[in-house]
Amino acid sequence: MITKEFMKILTTEQIASFQRFIEKNSFFIIVGHKEPDGDCISSCLAMASLIKKTGKQYQLLSAGPFKRQEIHKYEDLFSSTMQFMTQEERNATGLVILDCSELSRLGDIDGDFTGLDTFIIDHHKTSECGDDVLSIINPTAPATACLVQLLFEQIVGPLDSETAKTLFFGMATDTGFFRFLSADSAEVFKSTARMVAAGANPREAYDEMTSGKPYLTRKLIGIMLDHAERYYNGKLIVTYETIEDTRKYGTEGRDSDALYQLLLAVDGVEAVVFIRQETENSCTAGFRSRDDIDVSVVAASFGGGGHKNASGMSVEGKLDTLIPEICKKFARIL
């Protein structure tokens, strides 16, 4: 039976819709967004477990790159090339898109998704999949892994140990080891308790998330702290990484989460921006905020998206022009 509390995250109609999608198809392509994080990878792996337990086959796809230290070990489980299928096989294939809702965010994958029966599962506030696409999109869910867990439990049954560990890792990474959850998260902790009861180990998951960082990443954090500047009476901190910084310290095991945590801990700070000059004419940026500051609004204005308190974007431009533009956007919400 599905409880009233459970229905705050998933409805009986959503569960039934996804179950019909599984029953309808015999093979599944499982894919998440490019530059995956722990929630994306964990959601894909747990979805593969769900599909396998229904007796059906799947392929895991990811455009990568697997930049984050904590997900390196999963890279070999994914391919960036979709396996060849006849038209008859394509007609019986379901495409499951996890942790994003736009095909453009899937990245460079060698394959054609056109015409595949598609189901999107996401928890980002800026999802825009359209009413004609089958989907479960709930911005109140703390992680896509949470949605996948509830689907697994309703369709398959109690979690097995390996799936529980996988889902716990996704939940923990996307919630900052539960630091970002609000006061109305009792049902989420109940779900998390079921993962632990099934075999997830919080201490092992934390070590997996936080250990093994290359020494140069610590040096790079120091550079980012030195670059940091305050705006709007200290409510906003902006820092950046130049191409020269990247060349000197590399891209292995970057730890932007630690940087955000340090800067958000500053007295009076309500939002933090980190911009990286990726090429001579393009940048990526990450936004983090406290409480009621909705950084997804700023990200969306540049074509990006994400959550209320954690969003990002990729955009054409250079640091010296983008930083003033981004600061102007923040002036409207701080």
Side-chain angles (χ1 to χ4, degrees):
M1 289 292 292
I2 187 168
T3 66
K4 289 182 179 180
E5 290 79 10
F6 197 110
M7 290 177 65
K8 293 177 182 178
I9 300 176
L10 281 185
T11 67
T12 53
E13 291 79 10
Q14 288 173 323
I15 295 167
S17 175
F18 186 71
Q19 192 155 16
R20 288 193 297 269
F21 171 77
I22 294 293
E23 293 169 352
K24 178 182 176 182
N25 297 290
S26 58
F27 184 80
F28 296 87
I29 300 293
I30 303 171
V31 61
H33 57 77
K34 61 184 177 181
E35 296 193 16
D37 56 10
D39 184 31
C40 178
I41 293 301
S42 295
S43 298
C44 287
L45 292 174
M47 179 56 63
S49 177
L50 185 158
I51 289 170
K52 183 178 181 180
K53 288 181 182 296
T54 65
K56 301 190 178 184
Q57 296 182 318
Y58 61 87
Q59 182 187 18
L60 287 163
L61 293 180
S62 176
F66 285 62
K67 292 181 178 179
R68 297 171 180 261
Q69 184 74 20
E70 65 269 22
I71 63 170
H72 278 178
K73 69 177 184 179
Y74 302 111
E75 185 170 4
D76 290 343
L77 300 175
F78 292 78
S79 172
S80 61
T81 302
M82 182 176 164
Q83 68 183 56
F84 174 78
M85 292 184 287
T86 65
Q87 187 57 52
E88 182 179 0
E89 289 170 330
R90 290 178 65 87
N91 292 340
T93 296
L95 173 65
V96 187
I97 299 175
L98 293 150
D99 207 35
C100 76
S101 62
E102 303 86 16
L103 288 175
S104 61
R105 288 197 64 217
L106 300 183
D108 295 327
I109 291 177
D110 184 7
D112 181 13
F113 297 145
T114 305
L116 293 181
D117 191 18
T118 302
F119 204 109
I120 293 171
I121 302 174
D122 192 14
H123 76 128
H124 291 94
K125 181 179 180 180
T126 52
S127 294
E128 297 176 357
C129 66
D131 296 334
D132 58 336
V133 178
L134 292 173
S135 65
I136 295 174
I137 297 177
N138 185 347
T140 68
T144 300
C146 177
L147 300 173
V148 175
Q149 176 191 356
L150 299 183
L151 287 171
F152 188 104
E153 291 173 326
Q154 289 295 303
I155 294 172
V156 175
L159 297 170
D160 60 275
S161 178
E162 194 60 34
T163 304
K165 292 176 183 178
T166 298
L167 286 166
F168 186 94
F169 178 73
M171 182 83 79
T173 54
D174 230 38
T175 62
F177 218 82
F178 310 102
R179 289 180 293 115
F180 305 144
L181 294 180
S182 56
D184 59 351
S185 301
E187 190 62 25
V188 174
F189 277 105
K190 291 177 185 178
S191 298
T192 304
R194 294 196 298 274
M195 297 182 208
V196 176
N201 186 316
R203 178 178 293 179
E204 289 180 359
Y206 185 78
D207 286 343
E208 190 176 356
M209 289 169 56
T210 60
S211 301
K213 306 295 185 184
Y215 172 71
L216 286 180
T217 65
R218 308 300 96 177
K219 300 283 284 185
L220 182 58
I221 288 175
I223 297 298
M224 302 302 97
L225 292 174
D226 190 52
H227 286 170
E229 296 289 347
R230 294 190 293 179
Y231 298 84
Y232 307 121
N233 296 319
K235 293 181 180 179
L236 174 68
I237 291 182
V238 179
T239 189
Y240 59 88
E241 179 181 332
T242 66
I243 292 178
E244 290 72 25
D245 294 329
T246 305
R247 288 172 181 161
K248 183 174 181 179
Y249 297 103
T251 61
E252 186 72 17
R254 283 171 169 169
D255 194 10
S256 56
D257 291 340
L259 177 66
Y260 293 128
Q261 187 175 350
L262 286 168
L263 294 178
L264 281 173
V266 175
D267 185 33
V269 170
E270 297 182 11
V272 170
V273 176
F274 171 42
I275 311 173
R276 179 185 295 118
Q277 188 80 52
E278 299 284 358
T279 69
E280 291 294 340
N281 296 298
S282 67
C283 292
T284 57
F287 309 134
R288 297 294 186 273
S289 66
R290 288 182 168 280
D291 305 323
D292 295 330
I293 304 301
D294 188 352
V295 292
S296 70
V297 175
V298 177
S301 70
F302 289 93
H307 311 292
K308 175 182 176 182
N309 299 121
S311 293
M313 68 178 193
S314 297
V315 65
E316 296 298 312
K318 296 187 177 183
L319 289 170
D320 57 354
T321 56
L322 276 175
I323 290 176
E325 290 178 18
I326 291 172
C327 288
K328 286 181 182 178
K329 300 288 186 181
F330 270 94
R332 302 173 184 175
I333 63 173
L334 290 175

